mmCIF file of all heavy atoms in Angstrom:
data_model
loop_
_atom_site.group_PDB
_atom_site.id
_atom_site.type_symbol
_atom_site.label_atom_id
_atom_site.label_comp_id
_atom_site.label_asym_id
_atom_site.label_seq_id
_atom_site.Cartn_x
_atom_site.Cartn_y
_atom_site.Cartn_z
ATOM 1 N N ASN A 16 -11.296 -1.327 -4.701
ATOM 2 C CA ASN A 16 -11.436 -1.682 -3.296
ATOM 3 C C ASN A 16 -10.167 -2.352 -2.785
ATOM 4 O O ASN A 16 -9.717 -3.343 -3.353
ATOM 5 C CB ASN A 16 -12.624 -2.612 -3.088
ATOM 6 C CG ASN A 16 -13.951 -1.893 -3.240
ATOM 7 O OD1 ASN A 16 -14.047 -0.689 -3.036
ATOM 8 N ND2 ASN A 16 -14.991 -2.636 -3.593
ATOM 9 N N PRO A 17 -9.593 -1.832 -1.702
ATOM 10 C CA PRO A 17 -8.360 -2.403 -1.177
ATOM 11 C C PRO A 17 -8.595 -3.385 -0.044
ATOM 12 O O PRO A 17 -9.586 -3.303 0.680
ATOM 13 C CB PRO A 17 -7.615 -1.166 -0.661
ATOM 14 C CG PRO A 17 -8.723 -0.296 -0.141
ATOM 15 C CD PRO A 17 -9.914 -0.545 -1.049
ATOM 16 N N THR A 18 -7.665 -4.296 0.096
ATOM 17 C CA THR A 18 -7.615 -5.178 1.244
ATOM 18 C C THR A 18 -6.187 -5.216 1.754
ATOM 19 O O THR A 18 -5.242 -5.027 0.996
ATOM 20 C CB THR A 18 -8.081 -6.601 0.907
ATOM 21 O OG1 THR A 18 -7.265 -7.135 -0.155
ATOM 22 C CG2 THR A 18 -9.533 -6.607 0.461
ATOM 23 N N TYR A 19 -6.031 -5.486 3.059
ATOM 24 C CA TYR A 19 -4.716 -5.469 3.676
ATOM 25 C C TYR A 19 -4.583 -6.608 4.666
ATOM 26 O O TYR A 19 -5.563 -7.029 5.289
ATOM 27 C CB TYR A 19 -4.460 -4.149 4.409
ATOM 28 C CG TYR A 19 -4.585 -2.934 3.540
ATOM 29 C CD1 TYR A 19 -5.764 -2.198 3.505
ATOM 30 C CD2 TYR A 19 -3.524 -2.519 2.738
ATOM 31 C CE1 TYR A 19 -5.885 -1.083 2.699
ATOM 32 C CE2 TYR A 19 -3.638 -1.407 1.930
ATOM 33 C CZ TYR A 19 -4.821 -0.693 1.911
ATOM 34 O OH TYR A 19 -4.936 0.412 1.105
ATOM 35 N N SER A 20 -3.374 -7.064 4.821
ATOM 36 C CA SER A 20 -3.094 -7.998 5.882
ATOM 37 C C SER A 20 -3.035 -7.245 7.208
ATOM 38 O O SER A 20 -2.827 -6.027 7.251
ATOM 39 C CB SER A 20 -1.782 -8.732 5.629
ATOM 40 O OG SER A 20 -0.680 -7.860 5.781
ATOM 41 N N GLY A 21 -3.198 -7.985 8.286
ATOM 42 C CA GLY A 21 -3.187 -7.349 9.589
ATOM 43 C C GLY A 21 -1.873 -6.683 9.931
ATOM 44 O O GLY A 21 -1.853 -5.697 10.684
ATOM 45 N N SER A 22 -0.775 -7.172 9.384
ATOM 46 C CA SER A 22 0.531 -6.635 9.714
ATOM 47 C C SER A 22 0.785 -5.256 9.115
ATOM 48 O O SER A 22 1.656 -4.530 9.596
ATOM 49 C CB SER A 22 1.634 -7.600 9.270
ATOM 50 O OG SER A 22 1.611 -7.793 7.870
ATOM 51 N N VAL A 23 0.044 -4.899 8.081
ATOM 52 C CA VAL A 23 0.274 -3.611 7.423
ATOM 53 C C VAL A 23 -0.943 -2.705 7.461
ATOM 54 O O VAL A 23 -0.838 -1.524 7.080
ATOM 55 C CB VAL A 23 0.739 -3.789 5.965
ATOM 56 C CG1 VAL A 23 1.936 -4.722 5.889
ATOM 57 C CG2 VAL A 23 -0.400 -4.294 5.079
ATOM 58 N N LYS A 24 -2.058 -3.217 7.905
ATOM 59 C CA LYS A 24 -3.278 -2.423 7.934
ATOM 60 C C LYS A 24 -3.069 -1.160 8.757
ATOM 61 O O LYS A 24 -2.560 -1.193 9.867
ATOM 62 C CB LYS A 24 -4.427 -3.245 8.511
ATOM 63 C CG LYS A 24 -5.774 -2.547 8.468
ATOM 64 C CD LYS A 24 -6.873 -3.441 9.019
ATOM 65 C CE LYS A 24 -8.221 -2.760 8.974
ATOM 66 N NZ LYS A 24 -9.294 -3.621 9.540
ATOM 67 N N GLY A 25 -3.486 -0.042 8.186
ATOM 68 C CA GLY A 25 -3.329 1.241 8.843
ATOM 69 C C GLY A 25 -2.020 1.933 8.546
ATOM 70 O O GLY A 25 -1.873 3.126 8.857
ATOM 71 N N ARG A 26 -1.071 1.225 7.977
ATOM 72 C CA ARG A 26 0.225 1.806 7.644
ATOM 73 C C ARG A 26 0.481 1.879 6.146
ATOM 74 O O ARG A 26 1.193 2.773 5.688
ATOM 75 C CB ARG A 26 1.358 1.008 8.297
ATOM 76 C CG ARG A 26 1.308 0.987 9.816
ATOM 77 C CD ARG A 26 2.569 0.349 10.397
ATOM 78 N NE ARG A 26 2.719 -1.048 9.988
ATOM 79 C CZ ARG A 26 3.747 -1.526 9.305
ATOM 80 N NH1 ARG A 26 4.746 -0.724 8.946
ATOM 81 N NH2 ARG A 26 3.810 -2.816 8.996
ATOM 82 N N PHE A 27 -0.056 0.923 5.402
ATOM 83 C CA PHE A 27 0.160 0.869 3.959
ATOM 84 C C PHE A 27 -1.133 1.213 3.233
ATOM 85 O O PHE A 27 -2.234 0.956 3.732
ATOM 86 C CB PHE A 27 0.602 -0.527 3.517
ATOM 87 C CG PHE A 27 1.968 -0.950 3.981
ATOM 88 C CD1 PHE A 27 2.705 -0.190 4.875
ATOM 89 C CD2 PHE A 27 2.514 -2.130 3.510
ATOM 90 C CE1 PHE A 27 3.962 -0.595 5.305
ATOM 91 C CE2 PHE A 27 3.772 -2.549 3.923
ATOM 92 C CZ PHE A 27 4.491 -1.781 4.817
ATOM 93 N N ALA A 28 -0.994 1.773 2.055
ATOM 94 C CA ALA A 28 -2.141 2.092 1.227
ATOM 95 C C ALA A 28 -1.864 1.688 -0.215
ATOM 96 O O ALA A 28 -0.863 2.112 -0.800
ATOM 97 C CB ALA A 28 -2.478 3.574 1.307
ATOM 98 N N ILE A 29 -2.733 0.874 -0.762
ATOM 99 C CA ILE A 29 -2.607 0.445 -2.143
ATOM 100 C C ILE A 29 -3.562 1.264 -2.997
ATOM 101 O O ILE A 29 -4.679 1.581 -2.583
ATOM 102 C CB ILE A 29 -2.880 -1.066 -2.285
ATOM 103 C CG1 ILE A 29 -2.576 -1.555 -3.700
ATOM 104 C CG2 ILE A 29 -4.302 -1.412 -1.871
ATOM 105 C CD1 ILE A 29 -2.617 -3.075 -3.839
ATOM 106 N N SER A 30 -3.115 1.616 -4.176
ATOM 107 C CA SER A 30 -3.941 2.374 -5.101
ATOM 108 C C SER A 30 -3.546 2.009 -6.522
ATOM 109 O O SER A 30 -2.512 1.378 -6.742
ATOM 110 C CB SER A 30 -3.795 3.884 -4.865
ATOM 111 O OG SER A 30 -2.462 4.306 -5.080
ATOM 112 N N ARG A 31 -4.365 2.406 -7.465
ATOM 113 C CA ARG A 31 -4.047 2.109 -8.855
ATOM 114 C C ARG A 31 -4.413 3.281 -9.751
ATOM 115 O O ARG A 31 -5.367 4.024 -9.491
ATOM 116 C CB ARG A 31 -4.748 0.826 -9.321
ATOM 117 C CG ARG A 31 -6.269 0.876 -9.321
ATOM 118 C CD ARG A 31 -6.867 -0.527 -9.525
ATOM 119 N NE ARG A 31 -6.563 -1.082 -10.838
ATOM 120 C CZ ARG A 31 -6.756 -2.351 -11.178
ATOM 121 N NH1 ARG A 31 -7.231 -3.220 -10.293
ATOM 122 N NH2 ARG A 31 -6.457 -2.763 -12.403
ATOM 123 N N ASP A 32 -3.640 3.430 -10.808
ATOM 124 C CA ASP A 32 -3.889 4.407 -11.841
ATOM 125 C C ASP A 32 -4.028 3.613 -13.128
ATOM 126 O O ASP A 32 -3.032 3.238 -13.750
ATOM 127 C CB ASP A 32 -2.748 5.422 -11.926
ATOM 128 C CG ASP A 32 -3.035 6.539 -12.906
ATOM 129 O OD1 ASP A 32 -3.857 6.357 -13.826
ATOM 130 O OD2 ASP A 32 -2.431 7.619 -12.761
ATOM 131 N N ASN A 33 -5.250 3.341 -13.499
ATOM 132 C CA ASN A 33 -5.489 2.482 -14.655
ATOM 133 C C ASN A 33 -4.986 3.111 -15.957
ATOM 134 O O ASN A 33 -4.558 2.399 -16.865
ATOM 135 C CB ASN A 33 -6.977 2.168 -14.772
ATOM 136 C CG ASN A 33 -7.465 1.259 -13.668
ATOM 137 O OD1 ASN A 33 -6.705 0.475 -13.108
ATOM 138 N ND2 ASN A 33 -8.747 1.345 -13.346
ATOM 139 N N ALA A 34 -5.038 4.426 -16.047
ATOM 140 C CA ALA A 34 -4.557 5.095 -17.249
ATOM 141 C C ALA A 34 -3.062 4.884 -17.448
ATOM 142 O O ALA A 34 -2.577 4.882 -18.578
ATOM 143 C CB ALA A 34 -4.877 6.583 -17.199
ATOM 144 N N LYS A 35 -2.338 4.717 -16.355
ATOM 145 C CA LYS A 35 -0.899 4.499 -16.419
ATOM 146 C C LYS A 35 -0.524 3.031 -16.268
ATOM 147 O O LYS A 35 0.670 2.702 -16.263
ATOM 148 C CB LYS A 35 -0.186 5.311 -15.343
ATOM 149 C CG LYS A 35 -0.310 6.811 -15.521
ATOM 150 C CD LYS A 35 0.456 7.550 -14.436
ATOM 151 C CE LYS A 35 0.379 9.045 -14.633
ATOM 152 N NZ LYS A 35 1.120 9.780 -13.581
ATOM 153 N N ASN A 36 -1.519 2.167 -16.127
ATOM 154 C CA ASN A 36 -1.274 0.742 -15.900
ATOM 155 C C ASN A 36 -0.309 0.523 -14.744
ATOM 156 O O ASN A 36 0.597 -0.312 -14.816
ATOM 157 C CB ASN A 36 -0.751 0.073 -17.173
ATOM 158 C CG ASN A 36 -1.787 0.021 -18.277
ATOM 159 O OD1 ASN A 36 -2.964 -0.245 -18.030
ATOM 160 N ND2 ASN A 36 -1.363 0.268 -19.502
ATOM 161 N N THR A 37 -0.531 1.263 -13.689
ATOM 162 C CA THR A 37 0.379 1.246 -12.555
ATOM 163 C C THR A 37 -0.392 1.111 -11.252
ATOM 164 O O THR A 37 -1.442 1.731 -11.075
ATOM 165 C CB THR A 37 1.236 2.517 -12.520
ATOM 166 O OG1 THR A 37 1.989 2.614 -13.738
ATOM 167 C CG2 THR A 37 2.205 2.493 -11.350
ATOM 168 N N VAL A 38 0.146 0.312 -10.364
ATOM 169 C CA VAL A 38 -0.374 0.153 -9.014
ATOM 170 C C VAL A 38 0.696 0.607 -8.040
ATOM 171 O O VAL A 38 1.886 0.348 -8.244
ATOM 172 C CB VAL A 38 -0.792 -1.298 -8.744
ATOM 173 C CG1 VAL A 38 -1.221 -1.481 -7.290
ATOM 174 C CG2 VAL A 38 -1.936 -1.697 -9.661
ATOM 175 N N TYR A 39 0.267 1.260 -6.978
ATOM 176 C CA TYR A 39 1.187 1.821 -6.010
ATOM 177 C C TYR A 39 0.968 1.190 -4.639
ATOM 178 O O TYR A 39 -0.122 0.727 -4.307
ATOM 179 C CB TYR A 39 1.002 3.332 -5.887
ATOM 180 C CG TYR A 39 1.129 4.069 -7.195
ATOM 181 C CD1 TYR A 39 0.004 4.386 -7.948
ATOM 182 C CD2 TYR A 39 2.380 4.434 -7.678
ATOM 183 C CE1 TYR A 39 0.123 5.058 -9.152
ATOM 184 C CE2 TYR A 39 2.500 5.105 -8.882
ATOM 185 C CZ TYR A 39 1.370 5.414 -9.614
ATOM 186 O OH TYR A 39 1.493 6.082 -10.812
ATOM 187 N N LEU A 40 2.016 1.206 -3.863
ATOM 188 C CA LEU A 40 1.924 0.836 -2.463
ATOM 189 C C LEU A 40 2.634 1.915 -1.660
ATOM 190 O O LEU A 40 3.866 1.998 -1.672
ATOM 191 C CB LEU A 40 2.549 -0.529 -2.192
ATOM 192 C CG LEU A 40 2.394 -1.044 -0.762
ATOM 193 C CD1 LEU A 40 0.932 -1.366 -0.465
ATOM 194 C CD2 LEU A 40 3.264 -2.269 -0.517
ATOM 195 N N GLN A 41 1.852 2.746 -1.005
ATOM 196 C CA GLN A 41 2.402 3.780 -0.144
ATOM 197 C C GLN A 41 2.579 3.198 1.244
ATOM 198 O O GLN A 41 1.616 2.713 1.840
ATOM 199 C CB GLN A 41 1.480 4.993 -0.093
ATOM 200 C CG GLN A 41 1.978 6.123 0.788
ATOM 201 C CD GLN A 41 3.226 6.771 0.251
ATOM 202 O OE1 GLN A 41 3.224 7.270 -0.876
ATOM 203 N NE2 GLN A 41 4.294 6.763 1.038
ATOM 204 N N MET A 42 3.791 3.241 1.744
ATOM 205 C CA MET A 42 4.124 2.633 3.014
ATOM 206 C C MET A 42 4.555 3.715 3.996
ATOM 207 O O MET A 42 5.467 4.493 3.710
ATOM 208 C CB MET A 42 5.231 1.593 2.847
ATOM 209 C CG MET A 42 4.912 0.528 1.804
ATOM 210 S SD MET A 42 6.171 -0.774 1.719
ATOM 211 C CE MET A 42 7.575 0.182 1.121
ATOM 212 N N TYR A 43 3.900 3.750 5.137
ATOM 213 C CA TYR A 43 4.214 4.674 6.207
ATOM 214 C C TYR A 43 4.610 3.896 7.458
ATOM 215 O O TYR A 43 4.317 2.714 7.599
ATOM 216 C CB TYR A 43 3.018 5.563 6.539
ATOM 217 C CG TYR A 43 2.527 6.443 5.429
ATOM 218 C CD1 TYR A 43 1.394 6.109 4.695
ATOM 219 C CD2 TYR A 43 3.182 7.628 5.110
ATOM 220 C CE1 TYR A 43 0.923 6.926 3.677
ATOM 221 C CE2 TYR A 43 2.720 8.449 4.092
ATOM 222 C CZ TYR A 43 1.592 8.094 3.385
ATOM 223 O OH TYR A 43 1.127 8.904 2.369
ATOM 224 N N SER A 44 5.242 4.605 8.368
ATOM 225 C CA SER A 44 5.590 4.030 9.664
ATOM 226 C C SER A 44 6.271 2.683 9.519
ATOM 227 O O SER A 44 5.907 1.704 10.178
ATOM 228 C CB SER A 44 4.329 3.907 10.529
ATOM 229 O OG SER A 44 3.719 5.164 10.724
ATOM 230 N N LEU A 45 7.259 2.646 8.674
ATOM 231 C CA LEU A 45 7.929 1.386 8.381
ATOM 232 C C LEU A 45 8.686 0.860 9.589
ATOM 233 O O LEU A 45 9.250 1.623 10.376
ATOM 234 C CB LEU A 45 8.876 1.556 7.197
ATOM 235 C CG LEU A 45 8.169 1.622 5.838
ATOM 236 C CD1 LEU A 45 9.078 2.238 4.786
ATOM 237 C CD2 LEU A 45 7.720 0.229 5.412
ATOM 238 N N LYS A 46 8.669 -0.448 9.704
ATOM 239 C CA LYS A 46 9.299 -1.150 10.802
ATOM 240 C C LYS A 46 10.377 -2.085 10.261
ATOM 241 O O LYS A 46 10.314 -2.501 9.106
ATOM 242 C CB LYS A 46 8.259 -1.976 11.572
ATOM 243 C CG LYS A 46 7.071 -1.186 12.087
ATOM 244 C CD LYS A 46 6.031 -2.112 12.698
ATOM 245 C CE LYS A 46 4.822 -1.351 13.188
ATOM 246 N NZ LYS A 46 3.804 -2.252 13.772
ATOM 247 N N PRO A 47 11.353 -2.438 11.085
ATOM 248 C CA PRO A 47 12.372 -3.383 10.623
ATOM 249 C C PRO A 47 11.783 -4.687 10.095
ATOM 250 O O PRO A 47 12.327 -5.261 9.146
ATOM 251 C CB PRO A 47 13.221 -3.625 11.870
ATOM 252 C CG PRO A 47 13.105 -2.354 12.631
ATOM 253 C CD PRO A 47 11.681 -1.899 12.414
ATOM 254 N N GLU A 48 10.683 -5.140 10.670
ATOM 255 C CA GLU A 48 10.064 -6.366 10.206
ATOM 256 C C GLU A 48 9.402 -6.237 8.842
ATOM 257 O O GLU A 48 8.953 -7.227 8.270
ATOM 258 C CB GLU A 48 9.051 -6.896 11.233
ATOM 259 C CG GLU A 48 8.043 -5.860 11.687
ATOM 260 C CD GLU A 48 8.426 -5.209 13.005
ATOM 261 O OE1 GLU A 48 9.610 -4.839 13.162
ATOM 262 O OE2 GLU A 48 7.551 -5.073 13.876
ATOM 263 N N ASP A 49 9.333 -5.025 8.310
ATOM 264 C CA ASP A 49 8.852 -4.828 6.955
ATOM 265 C C ASP A 49 9.930 -5.113 5.916
ATOM 266 O O ASP A 49 9.639 -5.110 4.713
ATOM 267 C CB ASP A 49 8.341 -3.402 6.757
ATOM 268 C CG ASP A 49 7.111 -3.091 7.589
ATOM 269 O OD1 ASP A 49 6.224 -3.960 7.692
ATOM 270 O OD2 ASP A 49 7.032 -1.971 8.123
#
């Protein structure tokens, strides 16, 4: 289950691959303030 701050909600997506012991952050529509 993911949670997001208001500043990135709708633009970023967090996911995990437990088999690879890896967590990802997919970032879209990036802004200079990011």
